[in-house]
Amino acid sequence: MRPHSERCPMSRRSPKSFAPEFKEQVLKMVESSDKPIPVIAEEFGISAKNIYNWRKRSDEKLTFRDKNEILEVKEENKRLKKKLAQLEEEQAILKKACAYFARSLP
């Protein structure tokens, strides 16, 4: 048996490097998809840990202005989703009202 200080050269894999374009493509997929990161990682044949690390590094590179812009867009998106839900509810009510009044006509 080998002493602990000696390591088998094949026991560790060298880290695989990915092109910046590939990382960007994966991160765009993560942002635009509802799929969980592990599923996306499997689709691309990479580790989910890679994606989490890339996303963290990408977030660290954002400037204060970029972060504010993203926050504003997220808030606007939230507001628009709420408005959409309200309009869909109103539309459903109007459809029911139309059907009710259409039945009561002679």
Side-chain angles (χ1 to χ4, degrees):
M1 202 161 153
R2 289 186 196 153
H4 185 65
S5 61
E6 280 185 44
R7 296 196 181 230
C8 178
M10 299 304 278
S11 66
R12 287 188 171 216
R13 287 188 248 162
S14 60
K16 199 174 188 182
S17 64
F18 298 94
E21 296 82 17
F22 176 75
K23 292 178 183 180
E24 191 175 314
Q25 179 186 8
V26 172
L27 290 175
K28 281 183 182 178
M29 173 71 89
V30 168
E31 289 299 317
S32 65
S33 175
D34 292 335
K35 296 178 186 176
I37 288 179
V39 172
I40 293 172
E42 189 176 323
E43 288 176 1
F44 280 96
I46 58 175
S47 165
K49 187 174 180 179
N50 281 338
I51 297 176
Y52 289 116
N53 289 337
W54 297 342
R55 188 170 64 176
K56 182 180 178 185
R57 285 188 203 118
S58 174
D59 289 347
E60 289 170 355
K61 290 179 184 176
L62 292 176
T63 65
F64 182 73
R65 194 172 111 205
D66 293 336
K67 289 179 182 178
N68 280 342
E69 218 172 277
I70 290 171
L71 184 61
E72 288 173 11
V73 168
K74 285 183 177 181
E75 288 174 1
E76 177 74 0
N77 191 26
K78 186 177 177 181
R79 186 186 67 75
L80 291 172
K81 284 182 178 183
K82 188 175 179 180
K83 183 70 173 175
L84 176 63
Q86 177 187 355
L87 292 173
E88 286 174 341
E89 185 179 343
E90 289 174 5
Q91 182 184 27
I93 291 169
L94 289 172
K95 280 184 180 180
K96 289 177 184 176
C98 286
Y100 174 79
F101 287 117
R103 281 184 292 186
S104 64
L105 289 177

